[in-house]
């Protein structure tokens, strides 16, 4: 059987193939090919077309839904029904150009700027603390050109910076040292804690959740031992149990009779005294307690999803977007999708996301080296986390967190960063080695 080796070292990274091959994981040092294949070329024939096509299809559907969901709000806010759709179209077109441009760069070139990107992104979070623009009770934006200028959220840049930096750190440390607390836990936790502290002060609950989960995934994929996650996971489970299962609290049974039963049914914790996050949890637990205030958005979202039925009201026929559902073109655009396209349309869109995520992990398994694989794992996992949490919020499964639906929700910074991430994946897919069949007569051919 013919065999081949390819160089899986990235300049100035050191030996990234150190350590033994974990069971079930690709062998980055050596791959085996069938007899009819010969040594592959150093890079593939181009970007991965399935990944690119699904991305563009989702982006196109997203633009259509932004048009449908936003024209009422755009008319009310600006007097121009197509204003938000026009802005999103500009963001999408420029984002696609950005994606294509990034896909032309090699991973080796990108690696030179990763740590600088992390430092700059954290510096931008500090700048938000000092000079940030406050919108809807949160200070998450930096404004360029004054109050009416361009605004962007540095937290979007931090998400991709964490993925790239953690992948590079895991590769530099090597598999053996990643199994230790000194290298596999402490540096990652320190960086994540600093970012979480800065985000919590904004406050930016959704970014805290996303970056925390992404950090855990990158650490685990990078080689951190599973047992180092067990104690924090057990502590988190205990806290959640105490918060949401009042029966576990000492004396939570309340008094006797009906009054005692009522005390058991309701949590004895005053979430409203826990600040921004506590109020979100309280509104989620009982949206009917304040139907015109904190519980309004959740109730209207569920009304939109439920009224869609199986086949929906029809494209453009949403009723909730007529100033009933807040953020209908942004974080809650999936509610409009479910109302207009119904269960069938919503599931088709989620199926496209599932295909994109599966294809992303497939590319990670076939990447040319461990560094590239970790990056694709991180970007694909980030996409999956955002889709899950957005749909979970819209359907009332979890408290509102402000997580946009990738490639759908209105917003320039988020869309640009998401398409830039897709460009990184496409750049890595361009470098996947391909095997070329032998020509007849035993002659070998290289593409």
């Amino acid at each position: 059987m013919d065999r081949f080796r390819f160089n899986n070292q990235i300049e100035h990274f050191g030996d990234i193939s150190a350590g033994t091959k974990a069971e079930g994981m690709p062998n980055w040092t050596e791959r085996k090919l069938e007899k009819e294949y010969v040594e592959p070329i150093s890079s593939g024939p181009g970007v991965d077309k399935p990944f690119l096509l699904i991305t563009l299809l989702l982006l196109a559907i997203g633009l259509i839904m932004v048009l449908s969901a936003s024209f009422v709000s755009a008319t009310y806010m600006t007097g121009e029904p197509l204003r938000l759709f026009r802005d999103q179209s500009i963001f999408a077109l420029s984002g696609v150009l950005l994606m294509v441009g990034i896909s032309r760069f090699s991973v080796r070139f990108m690696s030179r700027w990763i740590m600088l990107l992390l430092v700059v992104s954290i510096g931008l979070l500090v700048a938000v603390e000092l000079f940030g623009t406050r919108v809807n009770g949160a200070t998450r934006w930096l404004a360029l050109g004054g109050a009416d200028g361009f605004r962007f959220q540095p937290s979007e840049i931090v998400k991709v910076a964490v993925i790239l930096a953690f992948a590079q750190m895991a590769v530099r440390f090597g598999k053996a040292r990643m199994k230790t607390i000194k290298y596999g836990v402490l540096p990652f936790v320190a960086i994540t804690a600093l970012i979480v502290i800065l985000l919590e002060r904004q406050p930016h609950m959704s970014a805290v959740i996303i970056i925390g989960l992404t950090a855990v995934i990158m650490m685990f994929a990078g080689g951190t031992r599973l047992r180092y996650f067990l104690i924090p996971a057990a502590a988190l489970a205990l806290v959640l149990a105490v918060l949401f299962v009042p029966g576990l609290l000492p004396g939570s049974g309340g008094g006797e009779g009906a009054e005692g039963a009522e005390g058991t049914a309701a949590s004895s914790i005053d979430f409203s005294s826990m600040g921004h996050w506590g109020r979100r949890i309280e509104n989620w637990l009982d949206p009917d307690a304040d139907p015109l205030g904190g519980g309004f958005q959740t109730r209207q979202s569920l009304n939109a999803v439920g009224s869609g039925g199986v086949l929906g009201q029809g494209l453009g026929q949403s009723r909730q977007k007529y100033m009933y559902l807040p953020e209908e073109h942004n974080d809650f655009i999936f509610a409009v999708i479910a109302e207009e396209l119904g269960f069938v349309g919503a599931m088709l869109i989620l199926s496209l996301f599932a295909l994109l995520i599966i294809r992303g992990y497939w590319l990670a398994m076939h990447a040319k080296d461990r560094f590239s694989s970790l990056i694709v794992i991180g970007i694909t996992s980030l996409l999956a986390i955002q889709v899950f949490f957005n749909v979970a919020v819209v359907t009332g499964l979890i408290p509102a967190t402000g997580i946009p639906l990738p490639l759908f929700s209105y917003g320039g910074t988020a869309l640009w960063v998401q398409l830039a991430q897709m460009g990184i994946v496409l750049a890595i897919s361009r470098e996947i080695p391909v095997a070329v069949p032998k020509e007849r007569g035993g002659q070998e051919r290289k593409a």
Side-chain angles (χ1 to χ4, degrees):
M1 176 176 291
D2 295 316
R3 310 164 76 90
F4 75 91
R5 296 176 182 270
F6 58 86
N7 182 10
N8 64 344
Q9 294 182 343
I10 298 178
E11 187 178 4
H12 70 262
F13 278 176
D15 185 6
I16 66 175
S17 61
T20 58
K21 174 180 179 293
E23 184 178 357
M25 295 298 292
N27 188 333
W28 303 112
T29 305
E30 184 174 32
R31 297 179 186 267
K32 298 179 180 180
L33 297 177
E34 300 297 334
K35 291 183 178 181
E36 63 268 23
Y37 289 94
V38 297
E39 182 181 0
I41 60 178
S42 59
S43 62
V47 298
D48 186 71
K49 292 180 179 59
F51 191 89
L52 174 61
L53 291 176
I54 298 173
T55 299
L56 294 178
L57 180 58
L58 284 170
L59 181 62
I61 299 174
L63 285 175
I64 294 173
M65 294 312 305
V66 167
L67 172 61
S68 176
S70 68
F71 74 85
V72 176
S73 293
T75 303
Y76 176 77
M77 292 186 298
T78 69
E80 301 178 39
L82 300 181
R83 175 65 180 274
L84 298 181
F85 170 71
R86 183 186 65 197
D87 292 346
Q88 186 75 348
S89 298
I90 295 173
F91 294 145
L93 178 59
S94 56
V96 169
L97 294 177
L98 177 64
M99 177 181 70
V100 173
I102 291 177
S103 70
R104 305 296 300 178
F105 290 98
S106 67
V107 177
R108 177 177 297 182
F109 175 80
M110 297 180 194
S111 67
R112 302 171 184 174
W113 311 99
I114 287 177
M115 288 304 170
L116 177 61
L117 176 64
L118 179 65
V119 173
V120 170
S121 63
I122 294 177
L124 290 174
L125 291 182
V126 176
V128 170
E129 177 75 14
L130 300 175
F131 315 108
T133 301
R134 191 171 185 83
V135 178
N136 295 330
T139 307
R140 305 173 183 174
W141 290 265
L142 286 177
L144 302 178
D148 297 330
F150 175 74
R151 295 184 310 190
F152 71 98
Q153 291 191 49
S155 59
E156 296 295 334
I157 303 174
V158 171
K159 294 174 185 177
V160 65
V162 165
I163 292 172
L164 297 175
F166 281 17
Q168 190 176 77
M169 290 166 59
V171 166
R172 282 181 171 174
F173 293 157
K175 293 182 179 179
R177 288 193 291 184
M178 281 295 294
K179 298 182 182 300
T180 65
I181 294 180
K182 180 179 179 181
Y183 291 97
V185 177
L186 295 182
F188 299 93
V189 171
I191 294 173
T192 305
L194 173 61
I195 293 173
V196 165
I197 291 172
L198 292 172
L199 290 173
E200 198 277 334
R201 291 181 59 82
Q202 295 182 5
H204 202 342
M205 180 180 180
S206 61
V208 169
I209 295 173
I210 290 174
I211 290 176
L213 290 176
T214 303
V216 169
I217 291 172
M218 293 303 297
M219 291 170 63
F220 182 73
T224 303
R225 291 184 183 274
L226 178 61
R227 66 188 183 199
Y228 297 142
F229 299 102
L230 296 180
I231 294 179
L236 177 62
L238 179 61
V239 170
L240 294 177
V242 170
L243 290 177
F244 299 111
V245 185
L248 296 180
L249 293 173
S252 63
E256 297 179 358
E259 184 177 350
E262 183 179 353
T264 303
S267 174
S268 61
I269 297 179
D270 182 14
F271 288 103
S272 62
S273 64
M274 299 171 61
H276 178 76
W277 292 28
R279 289 191 295 273
R280 290 285 182 94
I281 295 175
E282 187 176 54
N283 293 329
W284 168 66
L285 288 175
D286 190 8
D288 292 330
D290 188 12
L292 299 180
F296 181 79
Q297 194 168 31
T298 298
R299 287 169 54 87
Q300 297 304 317
S301 176
L302 293 177
N303 286 340
V305 173
S307 63
V310 177
L311 299 178
Q313 301 291 335
L315 183 62
Q317 302 303 311
S318 168
R319 299 182 181 92
Q320 293 299 113
K321 67 186 178 186
Y322 284 90
M323 311 306 292
Y324 292 104
L325 175 64
E327 302 294 336
E328 76 288 344
H329 58 285
N330 198 341
D331 298 344
F332 280 77
I333 193 171
F334 188 77
V336 177
I337 292 173
E339 184 181 8
E340 295 189 347
L341 305 183
F343 176 80
V344 174
M347 290 306 300
L348 287 175
I349 290 174
L350 291 181
S351 297
L352 287 175
F353 275 116
L355 289 175
L356 186 65
I357 293 167
I358 292 171
R359 188 65 181 180
Y361 285 126
W362 184 92
L363 292 174
M365 295 296 294
H366 292 81
K368 73 169 186 177
D369 51 54
R370 184 166 173 256
F371 176 63
S372 301
S373 178
L374 288 174
I375 291 176
V376 180
I377 288 174
I379 291 175
T380 305
S381 299
L382 175 60
L383 174 68
I385 290 170
Q386 290 178 306
V387 172
F388 171 79
F389 275 96
N390 179 270
V391 176
V393 167
V394 168
T395 56
L397 183 62
I398 62 174
T401 57
I403 297 177
L405 184 63
L407 305 176
F408 276 73
S409 294
Y410 176 85
T413 308
L415 187 59
W416 281 340
V417 173
Q418 290 156 12
L419 290 173
Q421 293 172 22
M422 300 300 103
I424 295 173
V425 174
L426 292 173
I428 291 173
S429 73
R430 188 188 297 276
E431 299 180 354
I432 292 179
V434 295
V436 182
K438 291 181 180 179
E439 295 182 341
R440 292 183 179 179
Q443 299 295 324
E444 295 183 354
R445 175 175 60 87
K446 294 183 180 180

